[in-house]
């Protein structure tokens, strides 16, 4: 199902919903599933590394409704350090005890009829060993010298891989090594492209090939995501346009609370 006419707010809401669906899938696989509502997704449980506890979705979400959700989450939070995603960059949470962790831009690429078939050198990976090799690359580890690779933790459990709404993509070199990868996730109307990594080779070429592969995995739908810095430039070169900014906020630690020892709870930049 392609989105043929969507204004800016609708596109951002589709991108935010896609991100919320992905967060829900990963958190659920770690036993921290949340609830997707019309205006936001949230989880009352500690999320896995690199994930927020709340993602706003609707452009018309008001501050009172957001504050009610933040109060709900604060009452159940076990860690002083957690984050939320303000998908429309609509709120100033600094006076309420939050620090801006980073800002980024939502991206959008229209469907392309020439991306209907997955083409080499990018493949969709499913085998158990390939899952570990792919995740080793995502962690920035050498995925070819260890059999199986030794991962610091498993970010993407098998339940995430087995979901037909997700496609784990790997770019292979001529020796069959995974040199780049990304995830495509299908949600209503769009396909998200996220967690893109490049171990070796030309990043610009990898971006184009992985974006085309994501479009081929779920044809006929726009691609969405969010990027910043150099990755935003690479996304533009791969055919994406910028929609609007988002912000990720981190709850400010009180002076009497210990510093967190777990990885930062923010989505990958």
């Amino acid at each position: 199902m392609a989105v043929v006419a969507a204004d800016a707010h609708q596109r951002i809401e589709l991108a935010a919903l896609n991100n919320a669906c992905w967060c829900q899938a990963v958190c659920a696989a770690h036993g921290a599933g949340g609830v997707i509502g019309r205006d936001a997704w949230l989880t009352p449980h500690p999320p896995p590394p690199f994930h927020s506890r709340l993602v706003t979705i609707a452009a018309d979400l008001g501050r009172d409704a957001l504050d009610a959700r933040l109060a709900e989450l604060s009452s159940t939070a076990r860690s002083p350090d957690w984050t939320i995603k303000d998908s429309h960059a609509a709120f100033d949470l600094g006076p309420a005890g939050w620090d801006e962790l980073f800002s980024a831009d939502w991206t959008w690429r229209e469907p392309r009829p020439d991306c209907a078939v997955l083409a080499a050198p990018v493949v969709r990976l499913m085998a158990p060993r390939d899952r570990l090799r792919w995740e080793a690359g995502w962690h920035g580890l050498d995925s070819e010298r260890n059999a199986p690779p030794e991962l610091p933790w498993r970010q993407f459990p098998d339940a995430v891989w087995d979901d037909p709404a997700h496609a784990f993509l790997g770019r292979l070199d001529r020796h069959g090594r995974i040199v780049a990868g990304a995830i495509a996730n299908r949600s209503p109307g769009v396909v998200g492209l996220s967690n893109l990594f490049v171990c070796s080779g030309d990043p610009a070429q990898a971006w184009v090939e992985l974006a085309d592969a994501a479009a081929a995995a779920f044809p006929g739908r726009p691609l969405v995501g969010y990027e910043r810095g150099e990755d935003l430039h690479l996304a533009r070169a791969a055919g994406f346009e910028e929609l609007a900014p988002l912000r990720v906020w981190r709850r400010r630690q009180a002076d009497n609370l210990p510093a967190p020892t777990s990885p930062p709870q923010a989505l990958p930049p």
Side-chain angles (χ1 to χ4, degrees):
M1 178 180 66
V3 175
V4 295
D7 65 23
H9 283 314
Q10 289 173 326
R11 288 184 174 192
I12 297 167
E13 288 181 349
L14 285 168
L17 176 59
N18 176 269
N19 186 255
C21 290
W22 174 246
C23 292
Q24 169 67 8
V26 176
C27 288
H30 284 272
V35 177
I36 299 177
R38 186 196 69 83
D39 54 11
W41 167 86
L42 61 84
T43 175
H45 310 290
F50 307 113
H51 282 75
S52 295
R53 292 194 66 192
L54 180 146
V55 177
T56 67
I57 298 172
D60 61 358
L61 175 68
R63 182 60 187 264
D64 289 344
L66 176 66
D67 286 345
R69 285 161 176 76
L70 295 181
E72 177 185 350
L73 290 176
S74 295
S75 68
T76 61
R78 299 178 185 175
S79 167
D81 183 62
W82 49 279
T83 70
I84 66 169
K85 182 181 282 95
D86 175 8
S87 296
H88 299 270
F91 305 106
D92 179 9
L93 300 181
W98 296 77
D99 294 316
E100 184 178 319
L101 183 61
F102 66 82
S103 62
D105 284 277
W106 291 111
T107 58
W108 178 282
R109 197 180 89 167
E110 290 291 341
R112 294 182 176 180
D114 59 341
C115 295
V117 179
L118 194 67
V122 179
V123 297
R124 185 171 181 172
L125 301 169
M126 282 297 295
R129 183 177 184 277
D130 288 338
R131 298 179 184 195
L132 297 178
R133 292 170 62 222
W134 187 97
E135 191 156 344
W138 181 87
H139 278 286
L141 304 174
D142 185 344
S143 63
E144 307 303 330
R145 294 188 177 182
N146 300 308
E150 296 181 5
L151 304 178
W153 74 86
R154 187 85 187 272
Q155 180 75 359
F156 307 105
D158 286 338
V160 182
W161 284 81
D162 293 336
D163 189 328
H166 308 148
F168 284 75
L169 306 167
R171 185 181 189 276
L172 309 181
D173 66 10
R174 61 190 181 89
H175 301 293
R177 294 179 295 224
I178 299 172
V179 295
I183 298 170
N185 75 292
R186 183 185 63 210
S187 65
V190 298
V191 173
L193 179 67
S194 66
N195 290 277
L196 194 150
F197 65 88
V198 181
C199 300
S200 63
D202 180 6
Q205 182 180 2
W207 255 93
V208 170
E209 292 174 347
L210 288 164
D212 287 350
F218 303 108
R221 296 170 179 247
L223 295 180
V224 297
Y226 71 87
E227 304 297 341
R228 62 181 178 140
E230 180 60 24
D231 282 331
L232 182 57
H233 294 294
L234 293 169
R236 288 197 205 105
F240 288 83
E241 61 179 295
E242 297 162 55
L243 293 179
L246 62 94
R247 296 192 191 107
V248 173
W249 294 91
R250 178 163 55 194
R251 188 185 186 199
R252 191 176 303 136
Q253 297 175 44
D255 292 339
N256 62 339
L257 293 176
T261 58
S262 58
Q265 302 292 292
L267 287 165

